[in-house]
Every structure is written in structure tokens, then in C-alpha cells.
Amino acid sequence: MPMTSAASRTALVLANLGTPDAPTPVAVRRYLAEFLHDHRVVDLTRWLWCPLLHFVILPVRGKPVAKKYASIWMDGPDGGSPLAVYTRRLARAVQAEMPDVHVVDAMRYGAPSLRGVVARLEREGYARVVVLPLYPQYSTSTTASVEDVVARMDRLKPQVIEDYHLDAGWVAAVADSIRATRAERGGDRHLLFSYHGLPERFIRRGDPYQRQCEASSKAIADALGLDASRWSLSYQSQFGKERWIGPSTQSTLQAFAARGVLDVDVVCPGFAVDCLETLEEIAEMLAHEFAEAGGRLNYIPCLNDSPAHARVITDLARRALAG
């Protein structure tokens, strides 16, 4: 690495949500315990939530969730959970674009832990660290949790890039990916943007996530030259009994089938890389449900470790470092 002193050393941390380290009930329960203990994710009173989590949710959900992970687990020497594999590969691709900066990947939950990675960089003498949460749209349930970790560091205080939901390079990369996939598959199908859901109470408290999802979708649709009748927006991965922002992706696809819209492209620009929610929930489960209703769901992959995505991340990091 062409750096001359500890004072000049700079690191970039690509931080993603996290994943179990194996598609097993034990690993899934361990991961979910850490994830669902975060008050940013579940803000219920701890005395009510913790017994429910440990004595009901984790024992019940471990096995079925592990089965879902097993259906998408990647083989090979660089295999594993797609979210971990693609995040690691993306970090390598960005490193090739930024030889003067040390680029590493980290997970907010699971391994390699964000706190552990930043602490190691501090011990190794890095004077400046930029953390880029791989969430294009800001939410208090995701990006703010990364900021919580950074704020608790003892000495080194990394800079956090909060969001990039309207970054011109990112919008162009997503639009180009959609355009290329549709050209390869042929046809002119309705385009559905599907984002991870969020309870409505977060939005009422001022969370900008829904507004940013809408802005991202409009910008990408404009880049593709689509008018409002040729694309829709929905939210997936809802659970529990409270009201979530909508419409849900599942109900949207059901409505499409009912009115004869039977060939649909689905893209998930709220996810930087493919993961359980895109590969199992969208490309497997909802695609199967839509097929049973007579439709065909064509899933468009995330940017993953593509050269275009590496250039987007590099540009974001360079601007942060310059600023």
C-alpha cells in the first residue's frame, strides 16, 4: 500500500446489515438475537420485548429462516451468504479503484463486526476512516444504527456517508442495469420498484426513508424514460400486526394478476447487493406466488460487485474524503 506514515493512512469501510455465518438454526438464532436486540430495529420496551424474542420468536423462527438461507447459499471457496459474498467482492472491486485507500467490509450485525473492524483500524494507526453504509436510502432503523456504533468509538471518529439515494452516478448505474437486463430478456414489461418495508410510526416520527425511496424510484424511472403508467413502487418484508408503509409488494403483485398485468420486472434499489430479501423473498417466493396466479415475475439483480457499482462507491468515497 503506497502510504508513507500512520498519519496519512486512510480507510474506507463498506458496512452492510449482516447475515448468519451458516444456514443453520443455531447460526440464524445467534444472528437474529443480535439484530433484533437493537433498539433501532425494534423499539419496544426491553422488559416486554426480550422475553418475547428469546422464548417465542427465536425458537420458532430459527429453523424456517435457516431453510430460506439454505435455498440461496452460494457454493465454492468464496461462497456463503450472498449478502456477505457480494459485499466482500464489492470491497475488493473498490480497492482496485482506490489503491491509495485501505478498503474493508463490515457488518452491523454478525461478522466481521463493524465495531471490531473500526477498532482494528484504530489500533493499526489509520488516521482517517470513512464508513459507507450500503443503504442508498437513509433510515433511523439502518443508517442511524451504524452511526450509533461510530459514536461509541473511544478515539477514532469515522465519517459516515448518510445516504446516496439521488446520487447521479448511482441512479445511472441502476438505470443502466435495468436497461441492460431488459434488453437481454426482451419485452417491455411493467417495472415494479420493491423496497424493504418500515413501520408507519417511523415515518410519523420524521424518518425520511419513504420519501427517499419515492425520490429514488422517480429518478431511476426518469433516467429510463418511463412515464408514471409504466412503473410502480411497493414495500416488502413486512411482519407483525402493526401498520407498515405500503402498498406491500405481495398485494401489488396480486392486484397486477387480478387486472391482467401478468409480465412484470421487479428491481430492488434499496438493496446494494442481493440477499435473502431479494433472492428468496422476491425471486423465489413471490415469483412462485405470481406464477400460480398466471403471471411471470422477472427479477432484476442488484448492482452487487459490478464494475459500475464499484465506480459509484469509489466516487462517493472520493467526494467524502475531499470534503
Side-chain angles (χ1 to χ4, degrees):
M1 187 177 297
M3 297 184 179
T4 57
S5 68
S8 67
R9 300 178 76 189
T10 301
L12 169 66
V13 181
L14 304 187
N16 215 327
L17 186 76
T19 177
D21 55 19
T24 64
V26 171
V28 166
R29 286 194 295 268
R30 183 168 57 246
Y31 165 71
L32 289 178
E34 182 183 3
F35 173 52
L36 296 175
H37 260 293
D38 189 347
H39 76 282
R40 292 286 191 182
V41 178
V42 179
D43 57 356
L44 297 176
T45 304
R46 297 295 96 174
W47 68 262
L48 172 65
W49 174 242
C50 288
L52 179 62
L53 174 63
H54 288 281
F55 295 107
V56 179
I57 295 174
L58 295 180
V60 171
R61 295 300 297 157
K63 188 173 181 179
V65 173
K67 186 177 180 180
K68 291 176 182 289
Y69 273 103
S71 73
I72 63 167
W73 212 254
M74 299 172 70
D75 298 324
D78 191 34
S81 168
L83 181 141
V85 171
Y86 285 126
T87 301
R88 190 163 58 244
R89 290 178 181 175
L90 177 61
R92 292 172 188 162
V94 175
Q95 181 68 84
E97 296 280 341
M98 305 181 73
D100 56 328
V101 173
H102 182 44
V103 183
V104 293
D105 61 290
M107 299 294 164
R108 175 59 186 87
Y109 316 100
S113 77
L114 175 61
R115 181 171 179 80
V117 167
V118 175
R120 174 173 57 79
L121 293 172
E122 183 179 63
R123 290 194 304 271
E124 292 176 353
Y126 285 87
R128 187 174 185 189
V129 175
V130 173
V131 176
L132 173 55
L134 292 174
Y135 315 127
Q137 297 79 26
Y138 182 97
S139 174
T140 53
S141 65
T142 52
T143 314
S145 184
V146 170
E147 293 173 322
D148 289 344
V149 172
V150 168
R152 291 194 294 266
M153 298 307 299
D154 294 331
R155 294 182 298 278
L156 186 63
K157 299 298 181 183
Q159 175 185 356
V160 178
I161 300 174
E162 287 194 343
D163 71 85
Y164 50 100
H165 75 286
L166 284 179
D167 175 74
W170 175 77
V171 169
V174 176
D176 287 345
S177 174
I178 296 170
R179 191 180 293 111
T181 303
R182 299 179 96 177
E184 179 182 332
R185 295 174 182 174
D188 185 22
R189 293 169 290 272
H190 191 85
L191 180 62
L192 177 63
F193 294 93
S194 181
Y195 295 85
H196 200 289
L198 192 69
E200 284 186 355
R201 72 178 186 281
F202 283 72
I203 304 303
R204 290 195 297 270
R205 293 197 299 242
D207 194 301
Y209 178 72
Q210 185 176 24
R211 183 176 69 251
Q212 291 193 1
C213 290
E214 293 169 354
S216 293
S217 299
K218 178 65 164 55
I220 296 166
D222 286 348
L224 291 167
L226 301 179
D227 63 43
S229 67
R230 297 173 61 196
W231 64 274
S232 305
L233 183 152
S234 62
Y235 298 91
Q236 63 185 84
S237 309
Q238 302 178 8
F239 61 90
K241 297 182 178 180
E242 67 176 310
R243 290 183 62 87
W244 287 55
I245 57 177
S248 75
T249 300
Q250 186 175 40
S251 65
T252 297
L253 290 169
Q254 291 169 349
F256 283 164
R259 69 173 191 259
V261 180
L262 299 177
D263 205 0
V264 178
D265 285 335
V266 179
V267 67
C268 300
F271 299 90
V273 302
D274 278 310
C275 55
L276 186 73
E277 288 78 6
T278 64
L279 298 175
E280 192 280 331
E281 184 179 356
I282 298 294
E284 290 185 8
M285 185 186 76
L286 292 183
H288 177 71
E289 288 184 8
F290 196 49
E292 287 190 327
R296 184 176 66 169
L297 187 158
N298 309 280
Y299 174 63
I300 298 174
C302 295
L303 293 177
N304 293 324
D305 58 335
S306 65
H309 200 189
R311 288 192 294 270
V312 168
I313 299 301
T314 298
D315 289 345
L316 289 168
R318 289 291 188 202
R319 291 202 297 272
L321 290 169

